[in-house]
Amino acid sequence: MKAKSIDEAKSLAKGKSIETQYKDEAIYIIYCSRTKYFYVDTDSLIRLWERLIGYYENGIYTAEKQYS
C-alpha cells in the first residue's frame, strides 16, 4: 500500500496489522526518497527500500532507531 504522508501510512499499517492474516507479523512502513512515498508492507519489500520508519505488530507501533 502506498501513502503520501507518514500519518496516512501509520493508519494503513495499523489497520493491516490487526487483520487475522497478518497476526504476529511485523508490518513495515518504508520511505522511498526517490518517489517521496511511504509504503506499507510485510518484510517482503524491506530490502528493496532505503529507509525504515517503523513497524506495527498486533496493532502496536514500534519506531526503529535512526542510524547516523
Side-chain angles (χ1 to χ4, degrees), residues 55-66:
Y55 64 93
Y56 275 89
E57 188 168 345
N58 295 333
I60 300 171
Y61 180 73
T62 302
E64 289 291 313
K65 293 181 181 178
Q66 296 297 319

Side-chain angles (χ1 to χ4, degrees), residues 20-38:
T20 56
Q21 178 183 359
Y22 297 105
K23 185 173 171 60
D24 297 326
E25 281 189 39
I27 305 295
Y28 293 94
I29 298 173
I30 305 154
Y31 178 72
C32 179
S33 62
R34 288 188 205 116
T35 63
K36 307 282 192 249
Y37 280 102
F38 293 89

Side-chain angles (χ1 to χ4, degrees), residues 5-52:
S5 71
I6 186 65
D7 293 327
E8 182 183 358
K10 284 181 179 182
S11 176
L12 291 170
K14 186 174 184 176
K16 192 170 191 171
S17 72
I18 56 179
E19 292 177 11
T20 56
Q21 178 183 359
Y22 297 105
K23 185 173 171 60
D24 297 326
E25 281 189 39
I27 305 295
Y28 293 94
I29 298 173
I30 305 154
Y31 178 72
C32 179
S33 62
R34 288 188 205 116
T35 63
K36 307 282 192 249
Y37 280 102
F38 293 89
Y39 295 87
V40 177
D41 195 31
T42 59
D43 61 350
S44 62
L45 289 177
I46 198 67
R47 289 182 208 99
L48 300 175
W49 300 103
E50 299 163 346
R51 187 171 148 213
L52 178 66

